[in-house]
Amino acid sequence: MTGPPRAMRGGPSCDRDSMTEPVLKLSGVTKAFGPVMANENVTLELRPGEMLALLGENGAGKTTLMSILFGHYVADSGEVEVFGRALPAGSPRAALAAGVGMVHQHFTLADNMTVLDNVMLGTESLLSPTRDTGAALTRLTGLMERFGLRVNPRAMIRSLSVGERQRVEILKALYRDARILILDEPTAVLTPQEAQHLFATLHQMVDQGLSVIFITHKLREVMAASDRCVVLRHGRVVFEAATAETSAGELARAMVGSDIPRTSRPEPRQGKEILYLDAITVRGRGATPLLDGLNLNLRSHEILGIAGVSGNGQAQLADLLSGLIVPDDGQMVIHGKRVHAPSPAAMLAHGVGRVPDDRTGTGLVADMTVLENLSTEVYRLPAFARRGIMNFKALASRARQLVQAFDIRCPSVDTPVRTLSGGNMQKLILARVLSGAPSVILVNQPTWGLDVGATAYVHQQLLDAAARGAGVVLISEDLDELLQVADRIQVMYQGSLSAPVPAAGVDRAGLGLLMSGSHASPNAATGTTARSAA
Amino acid sequence: MDILSFFLETGFWMATLRMATPLILGTLGELICERAGVLNLGIEGIMAAGCMAGWTWVYMGGDLWTGVLFAAFIGALFGLLHALFTVHLGLSQHVTGLGITMLAASLSSFVFRMLLPSATTPPKIVPFQPLAPPLLADIPVLGQILIGQTALTMVALAAVAVVSYVLYRTPAGLAVRMAGENPMAVEAQGLSVFAIRTWAVMAGSALMAVGGAFLTMSAFDAYYIGMVNGRGWICIALVVFASWKPGKALLGCLLFAAFDAIQMRVQQQSGMLIPYQFYLMMPYVFSIIALIVMSRRAAYPKALLIPFRKGER
């Protein structure tokens, strides 16, 4: 789907063998964070002109390993060699000087500064009395031409799209003459088309002699774009192979350590309408409204998937259904009753359960305990509070039941939520939401940063909730997730939704077109996909 | 209309510029610290230490300019202390800053009492004298205003231009601004966030101390306990008013000083009709109003107050 596999493309990387010296060598790298072994005796080689995929579930130690290489962390033991020379530990400056560039998953850019400022930072002596922006501009535009990474050098970072910001990150590395480029989850924030473009650029770089490591947990990308892949699990290298000689199934088993848990999907049932959004408009401060005459119909027993590139109004839709914003226009009807004054409490009272995208920001209070976080929506109910005094005994026994029922792994209910893994945090939020038996469930990016096991768990919970008769609005940027779980899919573009299409009737390419706004009518898009598939 | 005639007097404008001088230096100092991402609530105490250090140096027989340098040095030392706690140990900037203020202010008074245990009237030094450069007097109105000022006021005005140039036109300034916006970006480009923030806080604190030194070495000629009198806190508000920009900081300082000068004149002219406390309050009320108007859309440094810890994200 993302172009032919690298091994078939021919080119310099095909005939590499053990005779060429590796450009990068990690040997015996071990790093522990307290009792957790993030990396254990990891040995890894990168050959010149090679595209290496570093694969593993969340928490497998991929990012830690690359952060050690780049000098953000210092390893407890082990060595890093770049172009045959030992790299001093804990110094990004030394890594940059040795020709290693890193594109971080969370971009390291300053929003209120220009592209040029971000690129130039650290490239001139701090004691220099002036900045040579002219020369820097020439050099930067030269690099943009050479690699097809176009972005306005005078633009402020905050005005750029996520894809453009990533280009700036890559340009930062190229500007410093990186010979080895490391990309941490580079496609996590991109549309399928943007991702395809990124890999084309990376291939171009490899053809010009650079070597690339990209971190991912998406098997599709590994199979389509890499020459070789290394799988990490629990901080150890468990599998290593040329991409042409392995399969997605083999890689998946290596990542998880067993067969992937499957979600069972009940037969779709025709429910009655429970949520109705009619021409909802939310005007922001900008010129264009954030939500623009949005219509949405949700029936019970169904999961409605909302796709789209981030920033097209998904956040506002989520806030709307959470009661955090009040629409300027249009109406919201739940169970045939119009919601007159939306507020979080009103939405709860209407039976809306909310799973927000930012788990530690809006979902949970990280420094408070599991018990307290599980109690936030019920502590004022008569069962748990009398005359304003909380009944901790009842709350604790409820919390213990939920912890058991939802398999939340924590030492006790008095543990601060901060110490839980992402998967367990999400289970906690699901426990809080589903224990209230909501009839409408809003879920925003529910599997962001979760490993395969936790993802399957979340999906199963959503499917079960729908089977019990709830309607689920699933906002996600992960198309595979939508295609796998949702019954119908609508695509969000510039604040409004496309007409719904059955999930069984579309594919990634069709959704990708809708996401880029290139087709007004979803039928046309599905028509195109049907033709191209044929 | 009579009451507003002072706007036409050069004396009024001279007073405004004189009163603005310590504010300009203090605000610039605070601005540098905050641009690097460190709030420095030590400013009130550091200004007091600057008052004391500059005066003591001259009282002990040193000359005026080395006295200014000595005050800057003492300020930088307190800045280093602030940076050790807030930058290197990542402790609360509020708590540390208030601690520095109490420490520096008390230490200054303590040293003063140790030196002069029994002085009833504070001893005087010979302060900076008003400048009279030959060419300046020929400029019509501006010349008249500038000519009455001392050298430290010129230093303060020059500092606005220098700080502005360094922040926006040099690699070091870019690094400082970036450290206040996104320290991870600084780290990822191979620079040390710790070093940049430490140097910025030290430089800023040195400027604050010179602002304090102006009080004992130009505005007055002796040291009084508590003579900074809240100017440091005003500087912190002025930084917000200025949206973290040196040029606007100059404007804000002049505006506040002008209110202060008006307050004094009006108080003299209006007699006993209104209690004098009302006039004393005026500059603060006006500055609060101006602050509300000006800072509504201010883009503060994103990483202000957030300590950077290596190996965390």
Side-chain angles (χ1 to χ4, degrees):
Chain A
M1 297 200 184
T2 326
R6 276 287 290 166
M8 286 160 57
R9 280 171 10 103
S13 51
C14 265
D15 314 315
R16 305 273 171 213
D17 54 32
S18 51
M19 283 172 66
T20 38
E21 281 292 303
V23 290
L24 171 73
K25 216 163 124 184
L26 296 165
S27 34
V29 172
T30 297
K31 171 81 181 171
F33 291 107
V36 182
M37 292 299 276
N39 290 136
E40 203 172 341
N41 200 18
V42 174
T43 298
L44 190 79
E45 278 186 8
L46 178 68
R47 297 173 201 146
E50 180 181 50
M51 192 107 132
L52 176 71
L54 186 58
L55 196 63
E57 291 200 271
N58 282 289
K62 305 172 302 237
T63 300
T64 307
L65 188 66
M66 291 302 111
S67 296
I68 289 170
L69 165 57
F70 194 65
H72 288 314
Y73 299 146
V74 180
D76 299 336
S77 65
E79 266 163 38
V80 181
E81 246 179 54
V82 179
F83 294 109
R85 279 197 214 149
L87 192 67
S91 166
R93 173 186 287 266
L96 285 165
V100 179
M102 184 150 173
V103 175
H104 297 76
Q105 185 182 4
H106 305 286
F107 300 145
T108 55
L109 301 168
D111 289 354
N112 289 330
M113 300 203 192
T114 65
V115 170
L116 195 61
D117 279 348
N118 274 279
V119 170
M120 283 182 77
L121 173 69
T123 58
E124 293 175 295
S125 163
L126 289 184
L127 300 176
S128 156
T130 52
R131 289 172 59 192
D132 193 351
T133 41
L137 197 61
T138 316
R139 183 169 154 69
L140 187 61
T141 11
L143 284 167
M144 287 183 190
E145 292 290 322
R146 197 171 134 205
F147 291 100
L149 293 162
R150 256 161 255 265
V151 51
N152 174 9
R154 299 282 185 196
M156 289 281 180
I157 296 293
R158 62 164 182 265
S159 70
L160 301 183
S161 71
V162 177
E164 287 174 313
R165 287 176 201 211
Q166 188 172 59
R167 268 174 251 162
V168 178
E169 281 279 18
I170 296 173
L171 284 167
K172 261 165 71 177
L174 294 175
Y175 188 85
R176 309 198 64 157
D177 287 324
R179 307 301 303 148
I180 299 168
L181 195 61
I182 304 163
L183 300 104
D184 191 357
E185 303 265 2
T187 58
V189 290
L190 305 180
T191 62
Q193 279 82 1
E194 281 177 318
Q196 211 167 338
H197 187 241
L198 170 70
F199 281 114
T201 309
L202 293 180
H203 285 147
Q204 198 184 337
M205 288 174 189
V206 167
D207 289 342
Q208 298 202 20
L210 272 79
S211 313
V212 173
I213 301 180
F214 69 94
I215 299 178
T216 186
H217 61 258
K218 295 182 184 164
L219 295 169
R220 173 198 319 281
E221 288 165 6
V222 179
M223 297 312 291
S226 71
D227 298 316
R228 205 158 57 88
C229 47
V230 169
V231 179
L232 281 184
R233 189 171 77 232
H234 300 315
R236 271 178 253 167
V237 175
V238 291
F239 186 81
E240 195 176 344
T243 309
E245 291 159 17
T246 184
S247 67
E250 196 175 11
L251 289 175
R253 271 191 299 282
M255 266 167 78
V256 184
S258 60
D259 283 318
I260 300 170
R262 291 237 163 248
T263 49
S264 64
R265 189 166 177 162
E267 281 300 302
R269 278 167 46 189
Q270 197 65 267
K272 57 182 190 328
E273 182 182 282
I274 48 175
L275 169 70
Y276 174 50
L277 299 183
D278 179 26
I280 294 276
T281 296
V282 172
R283 294 183 197 93
R285 285 187 179 180
T288 51
L290 300 168
L291 293 182
D292 193 2
L294 176 134
N295 294 306
L296 183 147
N297 251 308
L298 180 71
R299 294 191 290 260
S300 60
H301 294 289
E302 83 162 344
I303 298 180
L304 177 65
I306 308 287
V309 179
S310 69
N312 272 296
Q314 293 96 321
Q316 285 71 33
L317 176 62
D319 285 352
L320 179 82
L321 292 177
S322 307
L324 293 170
I325 51 175
V326 179
D328 296 305
D329 232 328
Q331 56 175 332
M332 175 156 48
V333 179
I334 301 174
H335 291 300
K337 272 183 260 168
R338 182 166 176 197
V339 183
H340 286 286
S343 73
M347 296 311 278
L348 268 180
H350 276 93
V352 179
R354 295 123 352 130
V355 180
D357 55 346
D358 185 1
R359 270 163 232 147
T360 49
T362 46
L364 300 164
V365 186
D367 283 316
M368 294 179 81
T369 65
V370 171
L371 164 61
E372 286 164 328
N373 275 287
L374 278 172
S375 308
T376 48
E377 286 178 4
V378 297
Y379 69 95
R380 280 191 297 190
L381 299 182
F384 303 110
R386 197 179 271 180
R387 294 190 200 93
I389 311 282
M390 281 182 4
N391 182 351
F392 266 98
K393 223 173 180 178
L395 284 171
S397 79
R398 173 179 174 274
R400 272 191 286 273
Q401 274 169 19
L402 289 175
V403 162
Q404 202 159 26
F406 285 84
D407 190 29
I408 304 167
R409 309 270 167 86
C410 57
S412 83
V413 293
D414 298 319
T415 314
V417 161
R418 173 168 40 80
T419 59
L420 266 54
S421 73
N424 280 307
M425 286 186 188
Q426 192 66 305
K427 283 180 185 175
L428 198 161
I429 295 176
L430 281 172
R432 186 173 71 199
V433 168
L434 296 175
S435 64
S439 53
V440 175
I441 305 173
L442 160 77
V443 210
N444 195 0
Q445 317 293 352
T447 55
W448 219 334
L450 301 191
D451 62 36
V452 179
T455 300
Y457 181 90
V458 170
H459 288 166
Q460 193 59 56
Q461 288 292 337
L462 296 179
L463 289 165
D464 290 352
R468 286 194 297 268
V472 179
V473 178
L474 169 61
I475 303 176
S476 177
E477 280 164 32
D478 184 347
L479 292 184
D480 292 327
E481 171 169 84
L482 291 172
L483 291 168
Q484 195 187 337
V485 182
D487 298 301
R488 293 185 300 153
I489 297 179
Q490 286 181 280
V491 176
M492 205 156 193
Y493 182 70
Q494 294 187 348
S496 46
L497 285 169
S498 70
V501 287
V506 282
D507 63 7
R508 298 174 58 85
L511 290 175
L513 284 174
L514 284 173
M515 285 161 74
S516 58
S518 55
H519 278 262
S521 141
N523 295 332
T526 39
T528 321
T529 13
R531 268 198 302 281
S532 64
Chain B
M1 278 329 283
D2 214 29
I3 209 163
L4 295 175
S5 60
F6 54 77
F7 278 118
L8 301 172
E9 297 168 21
T10 46
F12 167 77
W13 294 106
M14 280 172 68
T16 296
L17 192 53
R18 190 178 64 243
M19 288 194 275
T21 302
L23 298 179
I24 295 170
L25 289 164
T27 306
L28 286 176
E30 184 67 30
L31 187 145
I32 294 173
C33 296
E34 293 189 19
R35 267 301 174 114
V38 182
L39 176 72
N40 192 348
L41 291 184
I43 182 168
E44 181 79 9
I46 291 170
M47 286 180 85
C51 276
M52 172 66 203
W55 177 85
T56 311
W57 185 269
V58 179
Y59 181 71
M60 304 296 261
D63 81 294
L64 286 163
W65 284 109
T66 47
V68 171
L69 288 180
F70 181 66
F73 171 73
I74 294 294
L77 275 188
F78 279 109
L80 178 63
L81 191 64
H82 188 62
L84 282 177
F85 282 111
T86 57
V87 177
H88 295 266
L89 298 177
L91 301 177
S92 158
Q93 296 178 7
H94 289 111
V95 175
T96 308
L98 290 175
I100 298 273
T101 279
M102 288 192 257
L103 174 71
S106 314
L107 204 60
S108 304
S109 311
F110 177 72
V111 171
F112 181 71
R113 278 282 163 242
M114 291 296 281
L115 279 174
L116 302 154
S118 53
T120 45
T121 48
K124 292 179 189 301
I125 57 167
V126 180
F128 281 105
Q129 298 303 311
L131 293 175
L135 287 174
L136 209 59
D138 298 340
I139 311 170
V141 181
L142 197 65
Q144 292 301 314
I145 294 166
L146 286 174
I147 207 163
Q149 307 297 339
T150 60
L152 278 184
T153 301
M154 303 302 157
V155 168
L157 292 176
V160 176
V162 171
V163 169
S164 203
Y165 178 85
V166 169
L167 274 181
Y168 291 102
R169 294 271 182 272
T170 66
L174 175 63
V176 167
R177 286 185 292 136
M178 200 71 93
E181 287 287 334
N182 184 354
M184 245 341 254
V186 176
E187 155 99 356
Q189 289 286 69
L191 299 175
S192 164
V193 181
F194 296 128
I196 290 165
R197 286 188 164 177
T198 303
W199 282 111
V201 172
M202 285 176 72
S205 302
L207 270 182
M208 295 170 191
V210 175
F214 172 85
L215 295 175
T216 46
M217 299 170 78
S218 278
F220 306 103
D221 50 10
Y223 176 80
Y224 305 90
I225 288 167
M227 74 188 298
V228 177
N229 196 19
R231 285 183 178 85
W233 307 134
I234 290 295
C235 290
I236 288 177
L238 284 170
V239 172
V240 182
F241 173 85
S243 316
W244 292 267
K245 293 193 175 75
K248 277 174 136 185
L250 173 63
L251 183 76
C253 294
L254 289 174
L255 207 62
F256 184 84
F259 283 136
D260 215 4
I262 292 171
Q263 167 281 113
M264 287 167 119
R265 299 292 163 112
V266 174
Q267 201 179 321
Q268 285 161 12
Q269 294 178 14
S270 74
M272 298 299 289
L273 216 62
I274 302 167
Y276 74 94
Q277 285 92 344
F278 180 82
Y279 297 108
L280 281 178
M281 183 183 76
M282 269 174 36
Y284 296 93
V285 172
F286 279 119
S287 64
I288 287 170
I289 293 169
L291 197 62
I292 292 168
V293 173
M294 291 285 285
S295 62
R296 280 177 89 180
R297 310 190 64 168
Y300 61 92
K302 284 262 180 64
L304 184 62
L305 293 176
I306 303 169
F308 176 77
R309 296 187 180 93
K310 201 173 158 69
E312 267 183 32
R313 45 181 67 210

